[in-house]
Amino acid sequence: MRRNYKRKPINTTTRQSAISAIIEIIRQQRFRIILGVLLALVSIYIFISMIGFFFAGGTDQSLVDTPMRKIITNPDIVATNPTGKLGAWISDLLINRWFGLASFFLCYLIPLCSIRIIGVRIRHFKRRLFIGMLIILWTSLLFGFISESISELLNIGSGYLFPGGGHGYFVSIWLNSLIGRIGTILALIFTFVIILFFGFERTFYRCVDYIKNYIRKRKEKTLEALKAKRASRQTHIQTATVSQTGQEKLEEEQEPDNLNDLSWENEEAFQSQTEFEITPTNSEENEDEPEDEELENGEEEEIQEKQEDLTLDVNAETQEETVEKNVPQEDYDPTLDLSHYEYPTLDLLEEHSSGNPKVTNEELEANKNKIVETLRNYKIEITKIKATIGPTVTLYEIIPAPGVKISKIKNLEDDIALSLAALGIRIIAPIPGAGTIGIEVPNRNPEIVSMRGLIASKKFQESKYALPVALGRTISNETYTFDLTKMPHLLVAGATGQGKSVGLNAIITSLLYKKHPSQLKFVMVDPKKVELSIYSVIEKHFLAKLPDEEEAIITDTTKVVNTLNSLCIEMDTRYDLLKEAQVRNIKEYNEKFIKRQLNPEKGHRYLPYIVVVVDEFADLIMTAGKEVETPIARIAQLARAVGIHMIIATQRPSTNVITGIIKANFPARIAFKVASMIDSRTILDSPGANQLIGRGDMLISVNSEMVRVQCAFVDTPEVDAITHFIACQQAYPSAFALPEYIPESEGGGVSDIDLSQRDPLFDEAARLVVSSQQGSTSSIQRRFSIGYNRAGRIMDQLEAAGIVGPFEGSKARQVLISDETTLNRML
């Protein structure tokens, strides 16, 4: 009887679970540490075996020629190498058959991999690994080429291969036959330059700069030598020309112009002289005269040639000067002071991932069915529903049937949240420009948005914004970027622990990745003293502060007031510069300055953008009040055109903190999760922030248009790595100095000023103020190129003399003298 045996099906679930278990074991930190330690020990073993090769390689040669199976199983085979038979075989394989002496570089790459496997961050790990492998191949080829050339020259033979190993020896033979020895040498030089460029970029650029400087200095020395030679030649020719001219004048004075002018008294002398000249002479004297004439003619010709050469040289120099004047100068480069500055690399950021799967089709279908079912329970029919998956929230867009009121769906917000068992949903009724109603439902397994992915995105890398910021991802999973200069100021608010500080770090990190230190400066105010202190190490690169201040991160309330007022002075000074340059904004001004259309001797300079970051604004309002609010309101109202922008963060969104003046001048606002709808209305003028899910979930309102974004996560170690990467590079001598501000309370009264000890510039400053009818300290400072303290003292003396009125805060002083005639009478 024949039986039919069916093949037992393979249990795919068991195989997948086994693979998952293996992957889980590999991911464990314990396994990675064990593997890293094992690799480190293996590298030590290989290093000792290769050292032993030089002492026992010849003795063990017969051993390594035996098949590996016999070497392991036969106990009679004994190796002289200190690492045994296996070490002898490995060392012969690496040194003699593979890469030769270059194999020692493996003892650096293997420990490098072991350290990385353990979990220690290594900067530029992949590039180091790749360059290390290239160095091994190149060194092997170089030694192989040298050993092959020597053996060919001395007719030694090919038995001595180990300097470059079998790889280097046979590849060099192949290259020699293909492109010849000269071609092989050129190929080695070319690959060496490539390795030096990609593996040792800083060293490469330093070498290039050294060569450029050497060539430039040689050119300068050659030009100086030529100029000195020309000067000496010119002096010699001028001396010869002057002596010849003097001799000709002397002859002209001695000889009369016309013989008829001779007096009769001198006629006899003239006749005797004539007779003397006609008297015959000896033949030898007649023969010498032509030679003397030839010598004189030769000297004259030589002098004429030198004069012609001098004329040509002078004309050539004049032409060169004319050409140099006509040739347009190169554009001013603000980054030239730190020309070797390197922007932070992506390796400094980590790819964060929660490890949870994305939204599944089952979850999408279940949520769709629950939404449709809940609406049908209230007799609301819909014609279409579609879903857009985001990192933390999924947007379900529905199109209601004709005749359904939007307000009816809006009122079912809590009922839909109950049916979906969600943390809280948000209904957008309607979605602007879409013609649909949106229901935002939080995902069960939200994803972490990594800052590295945003910085690496094409949208951010190719952005042409003046101050580009990559903040997070939208519901449609697109990178959300904006230009801070278009905002132009930003208000950030939210409850404690909802991602406000991470959001500030994301904004600052974006700017650090895109801007050069010459193009951007930060003024950081941190009353808590711990949030922004991590940026103190880049003080000389990116931070701005008052002169003579020790710390660049401002924590004292008094210093905050002085710094904000100093920014107002900087703002007024910049507006005066824009007025003189006849431009409307900082972009046009810098373009003019770069094209050298503005004279630095008249006070013009390149203007970097200044971003003011104020954390815990509520604390400043509580301690300083109007002293802080007034300069902030002034900066927010006027500073946009001169490149000063503010970012204010607070965790207490109450009306006495976010006042009407602040809200009016901060059209761009970011709201993280807040406790109540009242707080949401205080920040955004609309509800919605109270329905967020926290942990970086935020609403961005720009000109009354609201977008929901999941903020990118950048951890403190990442920010620390970025700041230290910047701090290790060449920096400016000091931080960017803001104008000095002297509070009115610190200055002496007007009655204490002694007008008998007036400043030397007092009269000129008085005439300047009266002629312009503007009592501004900054105008005196800029006009006479003096410091702010001295300009302030002159202004106080003008007030004591009755020329200008008293201090009126941010306004210019009133000028009390109407014309210069009255001023001269007073002076």
Side-chain angles (χ1 to χ4, degrees), residues 100 633 720:
D720 185 61

Side-chain angles (χ1 to χ4, degrees), residues 151-220:
S151 63
E152 182 72 21
L153 182 64
L154 302 178
N155 295 322
I156 296 174
S158 61
Y160 193 66
L161 303 179
F162 83 85
H167 164 268
Y169 186 84
F170 292 112
V171 171
S172 65
I173 290 176
W174 174 72
L175 283 176
N176 289 340
S177 64
L178 182 65
I179 57 178
R181 295 188 183 278
I182 296 177
T184 306
I185 293 172
L186 295 177
L188 285 169
I189 294 173
F190 178 70
T191 51
F192 175 74
V193 172
I194 290 176
I195 292 172
L196 186 64
F197 179 75
F198 288 102
F200 308 93
E201 193 170 353
R202 291 185 182 178
T203 307
F204 180 80
Y205 281 120
R206 285 175 184 171
C207 294
V208 172
D209 291 341
Y210 176 79
I211 294 171
K212 286 182 179 178
N213 293 331
Y214 177 77
I215 294 173
R216 181 174 55 81
K217 289 179 181 178
R218 291 290 298 175
K219 283 184 178 179
E220 290 176 356

Side-chain angles (χ1 to χ4, degrees), residues 65-331:
D65 291 337
T66 309
M68 187 63 186
R69 181 175 56 81
K70 291 184 179 181
I71 294 175
I72 296 174
T73 57
N74 191 351
D76 296 332
I77 299 176
V78 180
T80 312
N81 195 297
T83 54
K85 296 185 289 185
L86 182 62
W89 185 82
I90 291 174
S91 62
D92 179 77
L93 179 69
L94 292 175
I95 295 178
N96 201 29
R97 302 184 188 183
W98 281 5
F99 307 116
L101 296 176
S103 302
F104 279 95
F105 205 80
L106 289 171
C107 298
Y108 163 75
L109 297 180
I110 296 175
L112 199 70
C113 295
S114 68
I115 294 171
R116 186 67 184 92
I117 289 172
I118 289 173
V120 179
R121 286 183 61 86
I122 297 175
R123 187 176 296 177
H124 308 305
F125 170 72
K126 293 180 180 177
R127 189 169 72 175
R128 289 186 180 186
L129 197 63
F130 178 70
I131 294 299
M133 295 170 66
L134 285 181
I135 290 174
I136 291 174
L137 295 175
W138 184 85
T139 309
S140 171
L141 180 57
L142 176 66
F143 288 152
F145 175 75
I146 293 173
S147 63
E148 191 272 337
S149 300
I150 293 174
S151 63
E152 182 72 21
L153 182 64
L154 302 178
N155 295 322
I156 296 174
S158 61
Y160 193 66
L161 303 179
F162 83 85
H167 164 268
Y169 186 84
F170 292 112
V171 171
S172 65
I173 290 176
W174 174 72
L175 283 176
N176 289 340
S177 64
L178 182 65
I179 57 178
R181 295 188 183 278
I182 296 177
T184 306
I185 293 172
L186 295 177
L188 285 169
I189 294 173
F190 178 70
T191 51
F192 175 74
V193 172
I194 290 176
I195 292 172
L196 186 64
F197 179 75
F198 288 102
F200 308 93
E201 193 170 353
R202 291 185 182 178
T203 307
F204 180 80
Y205 281 120
R206 285 175 184 171
C207 294
V208 172
D209 291 341
Y210 176 79
I211 294 171
K212 286 182 179 178
N213 293 331
Y214 177 77
I215 294 173
R216 181 174 55 81
K217 289 179 181 178
R218 291 290 298 175
K219 283 184 178 179
E220 290 176 356
K221 289 181 179 179
T222 306
L223 289 174
E224 289 176 359
L226 288 174
K227 287 180 180 179
K229 189 175 181 181
R230 284 180 180 177
S232 61
R233 188 176 181 184
Q234 181 179 356
T235 305
H236 176 69
I237 294 173
Q238 286 178 350
T239 305
T241 306
V242 169
S243 61
Q244 183 184 7
T245 306
Q247 186 177 358
E248 289 176 355
K249 287 182 178 179
L250 183 62
E251 290 176 356
E252 289 176 359
E253 291 176 357
Q254 291 177 353
E255 295 180 3
D257 294 337
N258 194 350
L259 293 176
N260 295 327
D261 294 336
L262 292 173
S263 61
W264 291 102
E265 295 176 355
N266 296 330
E267 186 177 2
E268 295 178 357
F270 177 75
Q271 288 178 356
S272 63
Q273 183 181 4
T274 308
E275 291 173 358
F276 177 77
E277 289 177 354
I278 300 174
T279 303
T281 57
N282 296 330
S283 60
E284 294 178 357
E285 292 179 357
N286 291 332
E287 291 176 358
D288 293 339
E289 284 179 1
E291 293 179 0
D292 295 338
E293 291 177 0
E294 289 177 0
L295 288 173
E296 290 176 359
N297 293 334
E299 290 178 357
E300 290 178 359
E301 290 176 359
E302 184 178 356
I303 292 173
Q304 288 179 358
E305 289 178 359
K306 289 182 178 179
Q307 287 178 344
E308 290 176 357
D309 293 341
L310 176 62
T311 306
L312 291 173
D313 291 339
V314 172
N315 291 336
E317 290 177 0
T318 307
Q319 290 177 358
E320 289 176 1
E321 291 177 359
T322 307
V323 170
E324 289 178 358
K325 290 180 181 178
N326 293 332
V327 172
Q329 295 180 343
E330 294 182 359
D331 290 346

Side-chain angles (χ1 to χ4, degrees), residues 601-612:
E601 295 180 357
K602 295 183 179 180
H604 292 288
R605 54 191 168 89
Y606 183 82
L607 301 179
Y609 286 96
I610 298 177
V611 177
V612 186

Side-chain angles (χ1 to χ4, degrees), residues 437-618:
I437 297 174
I439 302 175
E440 294 176 348
V441 180
N443 298 335
R444 293 178 184 174
N445 300 313
E447 287 290 324
I448 296 177
V449 177
S450 176
M451 192 69 196
R452 177 170 181 167
L454 300 185
I455 298 296
S457 64
K458 184 178 180 181
K459 187 174 182 180
F460 179 76
Q461 292 292 334
E462 297 181 357
S463 65
K464 302 298 182 183
Y465 296 151
L467 293 177
V469 176
L471 197 56
R473 294 193 183 275
T474 61
I475 290 178
S476 57
N477 225 13
E478 295 179 355
T479 302
Y480 184 82
T481 60
F482 63 86
D483 189 357
L484 186 59
T485 60
K486 304 297 182 184
M487 292 292 152
H489 310 289
L490 197 59
L491 174 64
V492 182
T496 304
Q498 302 303 321
K500 186 173 76 291
S501 297
V502 176
L504 287 178
N505 287 333
I507 294 172
I508 297 172
T509 300
S510 301
L511 296 174
L512 292 179
Y513 264 89
K514 254 314 195 182
K515 305 305 291 183
H516 189 273
S518 63
Q519 301 169 340
L520 173 66
K521 302 296 176 184
F522 288 99
V523 175
M524 295 188 177
V525 179
D526 183 17
K528 287 200 298 187
K529 304 180 182 180
V530 293
E531 292 293 341
L532 301 177
S533 60
I534 196 170
Y535 297 101
S536 60
V537 295
I538 59 173
E539 171 185 341
K540 295 182 180 180
H541 291 85
F542 281 101
L543 298 189
K545 64 177 183 179
L546 289 173
D548 302 328
E549 284 291 334
E550 294 182 1
E551 297 180 357
I553 309 297
I554 307 161
T555 56
D556 187 10
T557 306
T558 306
K559 295 179 180 179
V560 172
V561 175
N562 294 344
T563 303
L564 293 175
N565 283 286
S566 174
L567 284 170
C568 292
I569 296 171
E570 175 72 13
M571 177 184 69
D572 294 336
T573 304
R574 290 189 173 199
Y575 266 114
D576 292 337
L577 292 176
L578 263 64
K579 178 183 176 182
E580 293 179 4
Q582 297 181 351
V583 293
R584 299 181 60 185
N585 53 54
I586 187 174
K587 183 179 179 181
E588 296 175 1
Y589 178 87
N590 284 337
E591 287 177 355
K592 264 194 169 184
F593 189 84
I594 288 173
K595 293 178 181 177
R596 300 186 184 274
Q597 297 176 1
L598 301 175
N599 190 357
E601 295 180 357
K602 295 183 179 180
H604 292 288
R605 54 191 168 89
Y606 183 82
L607 301 179
Y609 286 96
I610 298 177
V611 177
V612 186
V613 183
V614 180
D615 195 15
E616 296 300 334
F617 181 64

